[in-house]
Amino acid sequence: MQSRTSNAAPLVGERFHNLVSSRVLTPFAWSGEKGERHYGYELGENMKAVEYLDRLRHAIKRVVKSQAPAWKEVRIGGRHWYAMSGESKLLWNALRDVDLATKAWGRESEMHPYLSIGVRLARKWEPRLRWFTTRDSGLAINEEYPRRMLRHIVRVIRRVCTARRFVRRVEQLERQQRDNFDSCCEYFLSILRWHARPLVLRADLYVEGQAKKAAGEGLIEQAVEKFIRNLREKRIIPDVLGYIIKREDAYDRGVHLHLMVMVDGDEHCKAYGLTEMLKMYWIYQCVGSPELASGFNCYLRKDEYRYNAIGHVHYADENALKGVRNAIGYLTKTDCHFLLPKSFGKNMRKGQPQPTRDGGKRRGAPRKFANDISLAEGILLGKVAG
């Protein structure tokens, strides 16, 4: 079964087909000076929305960190005018584009704290300030109303984002990210102590159609539990050494799973085929239909990573270990645009660490560098060998 699957490239259940069909790129047409038609592609609405939310969060953080006033009065000679601070310009450029993320409207309470306040303010004040814009879409700050409202918005952001409750929530998310990152790195190291080159698989698992709404209400937990249980018990693919699974909520994809699985690299070498088996098990055995579930095999993107950690990862391969660090960092991030409610329970799950048996015999030839994994510890945990 494994050999047949390893060379397959199934069309069903594939989350990504091409940039146009997934609306990352949108076709458009325009007429030239002589009436000739031209055709091209631009970034689609979903990608624009994700980039917008990133810009908005960055602008809110800049305003909070700065003590500069929203604007200042400038007098030179007999002339005087008003100038916006750099943070205010960045903020207005983000507020004015709130229509790019319409799917986020009404979901402010589910968003990251910085985005929650940002989207609320943008939806309230952008419709009022859009009438006070210049030809280049800047804010007409020389008029009293936009000047007064901009100062009010900046004050609200700084007051809310420095409140004790807000600060505690952000610190909690940052602490959770650090703790999960350290725990997952230690977990991967526990595998390296006994397996010199595990085979690393990565996939993204999604739900579609009506199941997407059910996932947002926390109603697909049985499917997730079934997948994790059978993965742990090696019923999906053989020789599983460990796994890390992260559940997230995203702007367009909704609730989905990020999956990282480590299998015995001495027994297996076909990462693509094994990952396809994981993906198909999720679609057909856990959810039950390709109309309600899909997945993406990250092996298809392995050449896009600066440090690739898909495939064999040797305990002395510096670049592959850096890839593992980046992958774990991605899996454990807590600055997502949308946060899952506490009622969902644990969103980060991993297997049990490999037991420590000092002096025990390992199968196979002796390691070239004995049992020294100081390089891996230095890269994953920042420990200096000595």
Side-chain angles (χ1 to χ4, degrees):
M1 179 177 179
Q2 180 182 340
S3 61
R4 292 198 302 270
T5 309
S6 62
N7 296 321
L11 296 177
V12 293
E14 192 69 59
R15 173 70 182 187
F16 176 83
H17 296 293
N18 56 63
L19 293 175
V20 177
S21 67
S22 59
R23 294 197 290 183
V24 174
L25 293 178
T26 302
F28 69 101
W30 73 97
S31 298
E33 296 180 356
K34 298 181 180 180
E36 70 277 15
R37 296 291 289 172
H38 300 275
Y39 300 91
Y41 293 89
E42 63 180 1
L43 281 177
E45 61 178 30
N46 292 331
M47 183 61 71
K48 285 182 178 178
V50 171
E51 292 180 348
Y52 166 74
L53 293 175
D54 288 336
R55 284 196 293 117
L56 179 61
R57 176 164 50 193
H58 176 66
I60 297 292
K61 287 184 174 182
R62 281 280 300 272
V63 170
V64 175
K65 292 180 180 179
S66 172
Q67 297 300 319
W71 48 264
K72 63 180 180 180
E73 187 175 1
V74 181
R75 293 181 180 271
I76 298 179
R79 302 172 54 215
H80 94 280
W81 64 92
Y82 296 91
M84 297 170 62
S85 67
E87 290 76 18
S88 294
K89 290 180 180 178
L90 198 66
L91 177 64
W92 169 246
N93 289 338
L95 294 178
R96 73 186 185 192
D97 293 333
V98 67
D99 288 343
L100 292 176
T102 54
K103 292 180 183 178
W105 293 9
R107 300 184 61 192
E108 290 85 353
S109 61
E110 306 170 23
M111 304 184 80
H112 189 278
Y114 284 111
L115 282 177
S116 179
I117 180 65
V119 173
R120 291 176 194 272
L121 290 173
R123 291 187 63 193
K124 179 178 181 179
W125 292 108
E126 188 277 334
R128 307 180 189 187
L129 292 174
R130 69 175 59 172
W131 305 105
F132 300 90
T133 55
T134 60
R135 290 183 178 180
D136 59 354
S137 298
L139 191 62
I141 198 66
N142 286 316
E143 298 191 41
E144 180 184 359
Y145 181 80
R147 194 164 62 243
R148 183 158 46 90
M149 291 304 99
L150 180 62
R151 181 167 57 187
H152 170 73
I153 293 171
V154 169
R155 286 177 175 175
V156 169
I157 290 173
R158 288 173 177 165
R159 184 179 72 247
V160 171
C161 296
T162 55
R164 182 177 300 178
R165 181 179 178 183
F166 185 96
V167 173
R168 275 204 308 264
R169 178 56 175 154
V170 172
E171 290 177 345
Q172 178 189 25
L173 290 171
E174 293 175 348
R175 183 171 59 253
Q176 182 183 11
Q177 178 172 327
R178 291 193 300 269
D179 292 345
N180 285 341
F181 179 81
D182 291 343
S183 175
C184 289
C185 287
E186 289 281 8
Y187 177 54
F188 192 85
L189 287 171
S190 74
I191 295 175
L192 283 183
R193 290 187 180 98
W194 289 97
H195 301 273
R197 53 167 203 157
L199 186 71
V200 177
L201 318 175
R202 289 185 61 189
D204 297 331
L205 307 177
Y206 306 96
V207 289
E208 307 288 353
Q210 293 299 318
K212 184 178 291 188
K213 181 180 179 182
E217 298 173 354
L219 301 179
I220 65 164
E221 190 63 23
Q222 287 182 318
V224 177
E225 290 290 347
K226 178 181 179 179
F227 184 88
I228 295 175
R229 180 178 63 254
N230 289 326
L231 176 64
R232 180 178 61 245
E233 295 175 359
K234 306 175 185 179
R235 296 177 180 175
I236 308 176
I237 57 176
D239 303 307
V240 174
L241 303 177
Y243 61 88
I244 301 173
I245 297 179
K246 172 69 179 298
R247 178 168 47 189
E248 282 186 3
D249 193 1
Y251 177 80
D252 178 61
R253 292 175 292 181
V255 177
H256 59 283
L257 301 175
H258 293 296
L259 176 65
M260 182 176 181
V261 178
M262 288 68 71
V263 300
D264 191 337
D266 292 332
E267 298 291 335
H268 302 275
C269 63
K270 296 180 179 180
Y272 177 82
L274 291 172
T275 308
E276 283 295 299
M277 294 171 68
L278 293 171
K279 188 184 74 175
M280 291 306 174
Y281 189 86
W282 165 256
I283 295 171
Y284 290 101
Q285 302 301 323
C286 295
V287 179
S289 169
E291 296 180 356
L292 299 176
S294 63
F296 179 75
N297 189 335
C298 296
Y299 184 89
L300 299 174
R301 295 186 57 189
K302 68 184 182 65
D303 295 329
E304 299 177 21
Y305 300 114
R306 181 180 179 184
Y307 300 110
N308 175 42
I310 297 177
H312 283 112
V313 175
H314 192 272
Y315 73 100
D317 186 338
E318 183 175 354
N319 286 336
L321 291 170
K322 288 180 179 179
V324 171
R325 180 191 61 194
N326 293 344
I328 292 177
Y330 180 76
L331 289 171
T332 57
K333 68 182 188 299
T334 57
D335 61 347
C336 308
H337 296 150
F338 295 89
L339 303 177
L340 291 167
K342 294 182 180 179
S343 60
F344 276 55
K346 290 185 177 181
N347 296 310
M348 166 68 67
R349 308 188 194 185
K350 64 181 188 301
Q352 294 297 318
Q354 296 286 315
T356 302
R357 294 175 290 179
D358 295 335
K361 293 184 178 180
R362 298 171 176 80
R363 184 178 59 187
R367 291 187 175 184
K368 183 177 181 180
F369 303 105
N371 297 330
D372 184 14
I373 59 168
S374 59
L375 175 63
E377 290 178 339
I379 293 174
L380 298 180
L381 300 178
K383 294 183 178 180
V384 179

